[in-house]
Amino acid sequence: MNWFYFPISWLTSNVLKRCVFMSIAFWAVSVLSYGASRIEPVLDSLCVVVHLSPNGDAEILEKRVMRVEGDYSEGFTIVAPLEEGSHLKDFKVFDNHGDHYYEYVADWSTVHGLNGQTDKCSIMYGDDGGYKLCWGMGHEGYREYWVKYVITSLVRGYGDCDALKWQFIAPGGKPLPRFFCVIMSLEGHEFVPEEVEAKVFGFPRKARIDGTVTVWPIERQQLLAGEHVTIQCRFKKGIFTPDLLTDEKYEGHKSSSLSSKNSSSRSSSPSIVVGLLAIAVLGLLGIIAFVSYTAYVRRRR
């Protein structure tokens, strides 16, 4: 049998066989093209700098150093649901020079792809009451993104102390940072161990108190899938003058357990799920086509 001639004659023999052949070709091309295009950007470092105010508000500044590749057009950070009385405000995104602020878009769904999202930012609201702060990643290459926002009344006054507990890096984020740190400071005041008790949840590392409250990993610098960085701080009375006060003791305050409330991963990308589903469907079509082709060849023999 002429094996060079056979595929050509088989392809042109009838419509059914052509459809089988085309489905195999479409499956292979789709899988290869999807795998090639979905190259995730690399997040070399994520530093979260928290500037606390005497009234308990917190200005949070995230510095992200990334290598952007593939067709990813959107960057985002997840903010957990806020406690009653707290609000998110003053969301801004700017470049590494600090002189180019991104344009805020009220409805992020109205901009699509690289061209539509470049130099723009927006807030999406989750069903759980949390936030997804989005911005366009722009052109490929090494980039720095500065994401800034304010959470009011992050530090609250209790009967026995002033305190906060907050998830500064959400679990399940993609891409995971190769290096990260969280640095918390109060303007005009240096924290000392005698007045601050700090605990870290979601990552096996203790906080360091030396003027600031810092989570700075040494032995292992990279977060693993499902890990997060949640910090609880109890401050001695007299450091803050919080806007929100309660006579309850902090130890018995139910809403302080944010680590369990905010530990679910909300950052999985729907596009990845859709892509995997498409690959599964195409794979099934490919198997059917291959079985049909094998049966056809056996009949011809």
Side-chain angles (χ1 to χ4, degrees), residues 150-170:
V150 172
I151 297 179
T152 63
S153 297
L154 188 63
V155 178
R156 298 175 175 230
Y158 297 90
D160 54 344
C161 65
D162 297 328
L164 69 81
K165 187 172 186 179
W166 189 249
Q167 189 177 91
F168 293 96
I169 301 179

Side-chain angles (χ1 to χ4, degrees), residues 34 142 159 200 291-292:
Y34 180 82
Y142 280 96
V200 180
V291 171
S292 301

Side-chain angles (χ1 to χ4, degrees), residues 11-29:
L11 178 61
T12 57
S13 58
N14 58 54
V15 175
L16 176 61
K17 296 167 188 174
R18 287 198 296 271
C19 289
V20 172
F21 178 83
M22 292 304 295
S23 65
I24 295 176
F26 177 75
W27 169 76
V29 171

Side-chain angles (χ1 to χ4, degrees), residues 249-296:
K249 290 187 177 182
Y250 181 69
E251 291 291 343
H253 193 63
K254 295 181 180 179
S255 62
S256 66
S257 57
L258 287 175
S259 59
S260 59
K261 174 182 174 183
N262 301 331
S263 61
S264 61
S265 173
R266 296 177 299 276
S267 59
S268 59
S269 172
S271 61
I272 296 178
V273 177
V274 173
L276 293 175
L277 181 60
I279 288 178
V281 173
L282 291 172
L284 180 61
L285 291 175
I287 292 173
I288 295 173
F290 178 76
V291 171
S292 301
Y293 170 72
T294 303
Y296 171 78

Side-chain angles (χ1 to χ4, degrees), residues 10-254:
W10 174 81
L11 178 61
T12 57
S13 58
N14 58 54
V15 175
L16 176 61
K17 296 167 188 174
R18 287 198 296 271
C19 289
V20 172
F21 178 83
M22 292 304 295
S23 65
I24 295 176
F26 177 75
W27 169 76
V29 171
S30 299
V31 170
L32 291 175
S33 62
Y34 180 82
S37 63
R38 301 305 293 178
I39 301 175
E40 288 193 358
V42 176
L43 180 53
D44 286 326
S45 68
L46 168 59
C47 289
V48 182
V49 181
V50 184
H51 298 290
L52 299 174
S53 298
N55 71 341
D57 292 354
E59 180 187 77
I60 299 176
L61 180 65
E62 299 183 4
K63 178 185 178 182
R64 296 170 177 259
V65 179
M66 304 185 69
R67 185 169 69 248
V68 180
E69 299 178 359
D71 64 349
Y72 279 77
S73 60
E74 175 191 277
F76 63 88
T77 186
I78 298 295
V79 177
L82 305 179
E83 289 192 88
E84 184 178 357
S86 291
H87 304 280
L88 187 148
K89 65 178 186 178
D90 297 340
F91 167 55
K92 295 180 177 66
V93 179
F94 52 95
D95 63 14
N96 56 316
H97 300 292
D99 56 0
H100 175 65
Y101 284 82
Y102 287 23
E103 176 189 356
Y104 183 80
V105 178
D107 187 354
W108 191 240
S109 65
T110 60
V111 293
H112 304 280
L114 181 63
N115 294 331
Q117 294 177 345
T118 297
D119 292 339
K120 294 182 177 63
C121 63
S122 187
I123 299 177
M124 297 182 67
Y125 301 91
D127 295 336
D128 61 353
Y131 305 84
K132 182 179 178 181
L133 310 183
C134 309
W135 66 91
M137 300 184 72
H139 60 78
E140 294 185 349
Y142 280 96
R143 307 291 305 278
E144 288 186 13
Y145 305 98
W146 297 72
V147 181
K148 183 169 70 173
Y149 53 96
V150 172
I151 297 179
T152 63
S153 297
L154 188 63
V155 178
R156 298 175 175 230
Y158 297 90
D160 54 344
C161 65
D162 297 328
L164 69 81
K165 187 172 186 179
W166 189 249
Q167 189 177 91
F168 293 96
I169 301 179
K174 288 189 176 183
L176 294 170
R178 293 184 171 183
F179 171 82
F180 75 92
C181 64
V182 180
I183 303 173
M184 192 183 313
S185 65
L186 172 62
E187 182 179 357
H189 185 87
E190 292 191 358
F191 294 125
V192 294
E194 292 76 18
E195 62 186 16
V196 182
E197 178 186 331
K199 295 181 180 179
V200 180
F201 301 89
F203 182 79
R205 182 67 179 165
K206 293 182 178 180
R208 183 179 66 187
I209 304 172
D210 185 12
T212 62
V213 178
T214 305
V215 178
W216 190 287
I218 298 176
E219 295 86 358
R220 176 164 66 84
Q221 299 178 342
Q222 186 170 7
L223 286 177
L224 302 179
E227 291 185 330
H228 58 95
V229 180
T230 300
I231 302 177
Q232 173 186 281
C233 289
R234 293 170 52 99
F235 302 101
K236 183 179 178 181
K237 285 289 189 180
I239 301 174
F240 292 90
T241 54
D243 288 339
L244 286 182
L245 300 171
T246 178
D247 292 333
E248 295 182 34
K249 290 187 177 182
Y250 181 69
E251 291 291 343
H253 193 63
K254 295 181 180 179

